[in-house]
Amino acid sequence: MSLFVLKDVQQIFKGRTVLDLPELVLEAGQSYALLGPNGSGKTTLLHILALLHAPAEGRVFYKGREINWKANYLTPIRRELVLVDQHPIMFSTTVVKNVEYGLKVRGFNSAKRRQTAMESLERVGMQDFANRPAHQLSGGETQRVAIARAMACSPEVMLFDEPTASVDVENQAVIEKIIESIRKEKGITVIFSTHKRLEASRLAENRIFLFEGKLTGPGGDNLLPGSVVRRNGRNVCILREKVEVEISRVPEGPCRVLVNPEKVRIYSMDRAGKMFSDGLIPGKVLQMTADGEYIKVLMDIGFPIRSVMTRQEAAESGILVGDEVMVAFDPGAVQPAP
Amino acid sequence: MDSFLMHSLAEAARMLWSLDPELYFIVYVSLYVSFMSTLIASVMGIPLGFIVAVREFRGKRVLITVLNTLLALPTVVIGVLGYAFLSRRGVFGDLGLLYTPWAIVIGQVILILPWVMIFTLSAVSRIDQRYRRTAMTLGASTLQASLVIAREARFGLLAAVIAAFGRVIAEVGIAMMLGGNIKGFTRTMTTAMALEHNKGEFVLALALGVVLLTVSLFMNIFLQVVQGRYGSAR
């Protein structure tokens, strides 16, 4: 039996559809990363999965039973799930009382509450902060206490909204380790949203790509809005109203396209100068990250676009972060999104 | 003027020091009706203000506008309306409440209920939505999550109570028109002041004013202590 099944789920805010999922199935004991740009519906989906917001349309099944969104029915089920916000908020009391809160509402006695809370704080390395006012913690410390507070509830599912987005590098590593241990040692289902593909690769067995509220394929990072027009007998897609790329078999008008990162070529200015300039787009390298044998390159060509190259290709190109470069799209690089 | 003021202050001190039973009964009636009306208005107004703040419903903006307008409701208007309802010919005439402390309490509740609701609404609206969401995801029921919000809004809620108490202990119209300023029964500090003023006993009137301010000062110190105690992280 699947843990979550979402059928024809839509979330609509102020007349705008921000989430539209024909079907999504999540299994118990697995870890899932929700990937996608800002506004792609990751947080909205997490709020539905945490049973905090009912979808405007569609049905949500948890452990095979359809969710009844009336408050009285929800509380017992919600106690099996905990969401840790991107910017967690602490109740204006001490750290340990924050961590005890979930146990208090479940009716545990004070001795059991204190013991469990201290164990949870120990797991995140915050036991020395137990009696400090929670509002005095730094961002990273707050995030760790929020995780301890969630863990103290002994949930079956833990959801994290961009858990490392607003913390320093040191705390990022600590938080990633905590999430990994939650997953491996306790067998808790972990679902988290992130912008970081590497983090997703490290922590999640499954990746779910969202774009403009819809599920997309693994090329989701390069999913772009475009507009197809016919020019000189060819179909041309204008990406984000800035860059023109040839595309085939698409009717004219607005569309969404996937750009295959393997078919995005990058040339240093020296090399590009010796080439025929037609079809080359100026850009700047923003980020280069190693992923196994490959180097992933994030560039700005008027909008962010990702490319991937082998380590050897990267070494030969001599491209570094911050370099001005020229970008070209191989034939077939741009395909209509499913 | 200075000697007049000094004379009044000295008279106020003498009245308090002499343990005059009449004065202390006036202070007692003032505090009793003010406490009762603040208590009743708080018990009604805080939950109502809370609901208006957290719920979305048709006519919410109209209701808030009406409540804001009621903040300016003159005490004499409440006094006249209260008289119409509580007098023998009124709808509630049979209850025999007119010219009793409870008539003052009823009038004062009508006066400060909008105050408590608006202050509560304002305090709760300022509370970060994440408190409710965090409480809910940690397993709180709707009521438990509401208590979390109330706890986080406690400074604002206490301010509502302090403001409401300050408003009723200082009002004179309702106490005069619904209480009748009956000596030893419904005479409050403000109605006693008005009476002494009418009699030309300005020193005594001002002395009662000083007593009123002193009582208000101690009440506020007490509430501030409560606020400080429960405001710290514990």
Side-chain angles (χ1 to χ4, degrees):
Chain A
M1 186 199 306
S2 300
L3 183 72
F4 277 108
V5 177
L6 277 65
K7 283 190 175 164
D8 302 318
V9 162
Q10 281 192 341
Q11 189 62 288
I12 300 164
F13 293 138
K14 293 180 180 170
R16 195 171 74 90
T17 303
V18 294
L19 193 68
D20 183 4
L21 306 174
E23 186 173 72
L24 180 66
V25 179
L26 305 174
E27 301 295 341
Q30 300 273 307
S31 52
Y32 293 88
L34 305 179
L35 285 149
N38 285 338
S40 59
K42 303 188 295 292
T43 301
T44 306
L45 176 56
L46 283 174
H47 284 182
I48 290 173
L49 294 175
L51 310 182
L52 290 171
H53 293 152
E57 297 286 340
R59 298 192 293 166
V60 177
F61 295 85
Y62 176 72
K63 292 182 177 173
R65 292 181 64 182
E66 186 171 358
I67 294 296
N68 180 339
W69 292 94
K70 285 184 181 162
N72 296 346
Y73 297 96
L74 272 183
T75 305
I77 309 169
R78 206 188 270 129
R79 287 183 177 175
E80 296 181 9
L81 322 149
V82 184
L83 169 69
V84 180
D85 260 323
Q86 182 181 355
H87 302 287
I89 200 156
M90 291 284 125
F91 304 131
S92 55
T93 179
T94 59
V95 166
V96 72
K97 285 199 173 178
N98 264 276
V99 180
E100 284 180 14
Y101 181 78
L103 301 165
K104 193 175 174 185
V105 297
R106 285 167 175 79
F108 284 82
N109 64 44
S110 59
K112 176 70 180 163
R113 288 204 306 257
R114 187 54 56 102
Q115 185 199 342
T116 310
M118 288 309 293
E119 283 169 9
S120 292
L121 283 170
E122 215 163 302
R123 280 185 73 94
V124 300
M126 292 293 290
Q127 66 276 20
D128 295 339
F129 291 73
N131 293 311
R132 296 249 189 108
H135 278 172
Q136 289 177 7
L137 300 177
S138 71
E141 289 163 354
T142 301
Q143 190 69 258
R144 284 155 70 178
V145 172
I147 294 173
R149 186 169 64 178
M151 277 163 47
C153 301
S154 305
E156 293 181 31
V157 183
M158 284 188 78
L159 305 117
F160 298 89
D161 192 1
E162 303 202 22
T164 61
S166 46
V167 297
D168 56 34
V169 178
E170 189 189 330
N171 274 303
Q172 275 179 25
V174 174
I175 289 164
E176 280 192 11
K177 273 193 172 178
I178 295 167
I179 294 173
E180 207 173 356
S181 73
I182 289 168
R183 166 81 194 84
K184 286 184 178 163
E185 292 167 26
K186 296 208 160 192
I188 294 171
T189 306
V190 170
I191 304 166
F192 65 97
S193 65
T194 181
H195 284 289
K196 302 167 188 167
R197 295 181 69 130
L198 282 174
E199 185 176 274
S201 307
R202 277 198 296 271
L203 297 177
E205 293 154 337
N206 307 282
R207 287 183 285 174
I208 297 165
F209 291 87
L210 285 167
F211 185 79
E212 293 184 349
K214 292 185 173 159
L215 292 173
T216 65
D221 275 358
N222 269 349
L223 201 147
L224 300 164
S227 178
V228 176
V229 293
R230 190 132 184 97
R231 259 184 212 153
N232 305 325
R234 299 181 310 153
N235 271 341
V236 174
C237 182
I238 306 165
L239 301 174
R240 286 196 183 272
E241 300 175 352
K242 289 190 175 88
V243 173
E244 292 187 8
V245 189
E246 197 168 333
I247 191 169
S248 57
R249 302 191 313 275
V250 181
E252 285 183 59
C255 64
R256 294 186 310 144
V257 293
L258 282 169
V259 180
N260 185 342
E262 291 173 9
K263 293 189 175 183
V264 178
R265 301 275 162 231
I266 313 168
Y267 302 103
S268 63
M269 283 308 209
D270 287 350
R271 236 183 116 192
K274 296 167 193 162
M275 295 171 63
F276 186 62
S277 64
D278 192 29
L280 290 178
I281 303 145
K284 189 175 181 180
V285 177
L286 299 177
Q287 192 181 52
M288 296 178 81
T289 44
D291 190 0
E293 278 305 298
Y294 294 91
I295 302 290
K296 290 176 174 175
V297 186
L298 174 66
M299 290 163 297
D300 179 6
I301 57 167
F303 51 85
I305 190 117
R306 286 167 178 80
S307 172
V308 64
M309 59 174 79
T310 63
R311 280 177 181 270
Q312 192 183 345
E313 283 171 335
E316 284 170 4
S317 71
I319 294 164
L320 296 169
V321 172
D323 283 0
E324 304 283 342
V325 292
M326 296 301 265
V327 177
F329 294 93
D330 284 351
V334 180
Q335 297 290 333
Chain B
M1 181 65 193
D2 278 352
S3 63
F4 174 64
L5 191 62
M6 292 307 293
H7 192 185
S8 301
L9 288 171
E11 180 62 20
R14 192 199 60 77
M15 285 167 73
L16 286 171
W17 188 253
S18 68
L19 299 173
D20 176 15
E22 190 183 333
L23 172 74
Y24 278 90
F25 192 77
I26 290 171
V27 173
Y28 163 76
V29 172
S30 290
L31 288 177
Y32 177 77
V33 293
S34 301
F35 266 124
M36 292 312 289
S37 55
T38 306
L39 180 69
I40 294 167
S42 299
V43 167
M44 290 165 70
I46 290 175
L48 287 172
F50 198 96
I51 289 167
V52 175
V54 299
R55 290 266 170 90
E56 290 303 323
F57 54 88
R58 192 185 288 268
K60 180 173 172 171
R61 292 180 75 87
V62 176
L63 177 63
I64 292 170
T65 307
V66 169
L67 287 172
N68 277 319
T69 308
L70 289 176
L71 296 183
L73 191 64
T75 54
V76 286
V77 173
I78 298 172
V80 170
L81 285 174
Y83 185 88
F85 281 101
L86 297 178
S87 67
R88 286 198 177 176
R89 286 177 295 169
V91 179
F92 302 111
D94 293 341
L95 298 174
L97 289 171
L98 191 65
Y99 301 139
T100 67
W102 280 102
I104 305 175
V105 170
I106 291 167
Q108 289 184 341
V109 167
I110 295 167
L111 175 72
I112 58 171
L113 187 62
W115 284 66
V116 177
M117 284 180 71
I118 284 290
F119 268 81
T120 303
L121 194 151
S122 168
V124 172
S125 301
R126 280 202 299 269
I127 295 299
D128 197 311
Q129 285 290 314
R130 286 176 295 165
Y131 281 116
R132 183 180 173 80
R133 197 165 67 221
T134 302
M136 297 292 263
T137 199
L138 291 171
S141 63
T142 309
L143 178 66
Q144 287 167 329
S146 299
L147 290 174
V148 165
I149 296 171
R151 189 181 187 281
E152 296 302 328
R154 60 193 179 280
F155 292 117
L157 299 184
L158 199 56
V161 175
I162 292 171
F165 182 80
R167 182 80 180 94
V168 289
I169 200 160
E171 77 80 27
V172 63
I174 293 167
M176 186 69 86
M177 296 172 81
L178 299 181
N181 194 23
I182 301 167
K183 185 180 177 185
F185 187 45
T186 58
R187 182 162 294 170
T188 64
M189 284 188 280
T190 51
T191 57
M193 278 174 73
L195 179 69
E196 297 303 331
H197 175 266
N198 287 342
K199 283 160 59 183
E201 295 281 353
F202 300 118
V203 171
L204 198 57
L206 195 57
L208 277 164
V210 173
V211 174
L212 189 145
L213 281 174
T214 309
V215 171
S216 291
L217 175 69
F218 280 108
M219 274 309 302
N220 275 294
I221 289 171
F222 168 72
L223 290 170
Q224 291 290 341
V225 169
V226 172
Q227 197 173 39
R229 187 173 172 200
Y230 291 100
S232 59
R234 294 191 322 145

